[in-house]
Structures are given as structure tokens and as C-alpha cells.
Amino acid sequence: MYRILMIANILFFVIVLIINTLAVTSPFWGKSIVELTDLHANMLTPEHFSSSIWSIIYPLLSLSIIDQIKTVLKKEAVPREVQSVGIGFIITFVLNCGWLIAWEAEYLILSFAIIFSNWLTLIWVYYRLVGVEKARWIYTIPFSIYLAWICIGALLHLNLLLIYLGFDFFGLSEEYWTAALIVMGIFGTLLVLYLNQDIWFTLVLIWAFLGIFLRSKRLFYENNWVTIMSLFAMVFLAVVGTWTQFRKIKSSD
């Protein structure tokens, strides 16, 4: 049963790579991902360079897939990580493809529903993996980074959806509401740091806030609350993350 599941994981990952490659090289509905990002940009949108993190996520995810290929070919014992997660790998791969298609088709409500579902799925996968005794980094780190980036994506899509639906932000301007979303991102990261001392998750959020800060500074100048809060988020998470890692290393001695 698990060997069939690993073969399915491998196949679905290949499909993800193919669809993502086609989306970049031959956009399904004519507009590139960059064009769509600019078209639907809001104050939480980071600079374009931020999305280059996918060039790290996919190679890292491929490490777990290579491990499963090796396991299938050599008929070795099924990795404990695969047993723990089960069909979770496939679900997140399917949602990844579904979001890309919905986003390129500009189905904004559907794309939010899919990325939110992927966020929930990745939370489940992540905590199943960290719950495995002596789980290997080729499984935990890739999904930690993947989850962190989808957290930012989910916040960005939430902001986009509220704007699309004409939400009045409880009387607040978009600037203050976006700053509040950044605060949500900070608290979410602190929760992960508290529960798992996960520096990789934290580094991704710092990277995302850097992109948000630079774009906000370029378009809205320094005296904007999005600029201020994204800068604060970077510095604060860097300090707390470093302190958490120091304590983790010290406690392991």
C-alpha cells in the first residue's frame, strides 16, 4: 500500500513541475504570473524577486521524492515520514496545481479557497512530520519552507479577496489593515518558534517581509505603516529567531 502511495507521490510531483513550468513558459490564459501579480497587487504584495524562493522550495521537495524513488527501486523499508503523512503529499501537490490554474484564469475567490486549503493541508503535513521521531531534514525542512511561503500567500490572497469583495476594513484604510495582517504574520511565526524552534520557517517570513518592505518603501515611502511594520517584522523576527536558536543549541549541549 505505501509503495503504491510513494509511486503516486513521485508521479504527482512530476505533474506539479510540468504544470508550473508550462505556467511560466506558456501562460494558460495569455497573462504571465508576473503580469497577474502586478494586475492584482495590493499593499501586502512583495517585490518580484521574493517569488524566487520557489527555486529553493522545489529542489528541496525533490529530495524527499528522490528518497522515495530510492526506496521503491531498492525495495527498502518505507520511510517513517511517508507512513506518517500518508496521502498528504498528494493533496498538497494537487492543490498547488489547482491554485496555479485558478490564479491564471483570474478566478480570485476560487484561488483563495484553494490556497487556504493548501495552507491547512501543509499545516497538517508539517506537524505530522515534526511528530516523527528523528524525522530527517530532507522531509522537515522542505515542508517547513513550503508552509511558510504559503502562509504569506494565504495572507496576500485574503487581502486581495477582501479588496475584490469591496470590504471596508472596518473603517480602516488599506494601509492600516495591511499592517494588521503583518502583525498576524508575526504572531504566527512566534507560535511556530515557540512550538518547534523552527528557524527555517522564520527565515522565509523574514524574506517575505523584506520583499514587502522594499516594495512599500519604493511605492509609498518610509512614513507608511506597511513600510514601518514590515521593517519591524524583519528585525524583530531576526532577533527572536537568533535567540531561539541560541537557546536550542545551548540546551542540546
Side-chain angles (χ1 to χ4, degrees):
M1 175 62 183
Y2 283 117
R3 296 192 182 281
I4 295 175
L5 180 61
M6 286 190 293
I7 293 172
N9 288 341
I10 296 165
L11 292 176
F12 274 94
F13 183 69
V14 171
I15 292 172
V16 166
L17 294 181
I18 292 173
I19 290 181
N20 276 264
T21 300
L22 290 174
V24 172
T25 58
S26 305
F28 303 130
W29 281 271
K31 294 178 183 176
S32 69
I33 295 176
V34 172
E35 290 174 328
L36 288 168
T37 300
D38 289 338
L39 179 63
H40 299 292
N42 56 68
M43 296 186 77
L44 197 62
T45 303
E47 290 282 21
H48 292 313
F49 73 82
S50 303
S51 61
S52 63
I53 196 170
W54 285 110
S55 65
I56 296 175
I57 293 174
Y58 285 130
L60 284 176
L61 287 174
S62 70
L63 295 178
S64 64
I65 296 299
I66 291 171
D67 181 64
Q68 293 177 61
I69 292 174
K70 180 175 69 71
T71 300
V72 171
L73 293 177
K74 293 186 176 182
K75 298 182 179 179
E76 298 174 341
V78 177
R80 292 164 300 164
E81 295 88 353
V82 174
Q83 296 181 41
S84 178
V85 173
I87 201 172
F89 290 137
I90 294 175
I91 294 174
T92 188
F93 292 157
V94 169
L95 290 172
N96 180 301
C97 295
W99 171 80
L100 192 56
I101 293 171
W103 176 246
E104 291 218 348
E106 296 186 75
Y107 295 144
L108 301 184
I109 296 176
L110 179 60
S111 65
F112 169 75
I114 294 174
I115 200 169
F116 183 76
S117 299
N118 201 15
W119 175 65
L120 293 177
T121 303
L122 283 167
I123 290 175
W124 180 79
V125 169
Y126 175 74
Y127 278 100
R128 292 291 293 179
L129 287 173
V130 298
V132 175
E133 185 178 358
K134 296 181 179 180
R136 290 170 295 167
W137 71 267
I138 60 172
Y139 285 90
T140 56
I141 292 178
F143 278 94
S144 172
I145 294 174
Y146 188 12
L147 170 61
W149 190 246
I150 293 301
C151 285
I152 289 295
L155 280 177
L156 178 59
H157 274 65
L158 174 62
N159 207 25
L160 172 61
L161 180 65
L162 293 175
I163 294 170
Y164 174 73
L165 295 176
F167 185 63
D168 66 356
F169 300 103
F170 303 108
L172 298 174
S173 67
E174 184 186 350
E175 174 187 347
Y176 293 113
W177 177 254
T178 304
L181 290 177
I182 292 174
V183 173
M184 288 175 57
I186 293 172
F187 277 108
T189 308
L190 291 177
L191 179 62
V192 174
L193 273 173
Y194 174 75
L195 294 175
N196 301 307
Q197 296 80 51
D198 190 339
I199 191 62
W200 300 102
F201 186 100
T202 308
L203 288 173
V204 173
L205 268 292
I206 293 172
W207 173 257
F209 288 133
L210 172 63
I212 295 169
F213 166 74
L214 291 176
R215 181 177 182 274
S216 181
K217 183 181 178 182
R218 176 171 60 85
L219 296 179
F220 310 113
Y221 309 107
E222 292 86 350
N223 59 344
N224 178 280
W225 273 106
V226 176
T227 306
I228 295 169
M229 287 306 302
S230 55
L231 176 61
F232 170 77
M234 281 191 295
V235 176
F236 179 70
L237 291 179
V239 171
V240 175
T242 301
W243 176 72
T244 302
Q245 283 301 109
F246 176 76
R247 287 191 59 189
K248 182 180 179 180
I249 294 171
K250 188 175 181 180
S251 63
S252 63
D253 290 340

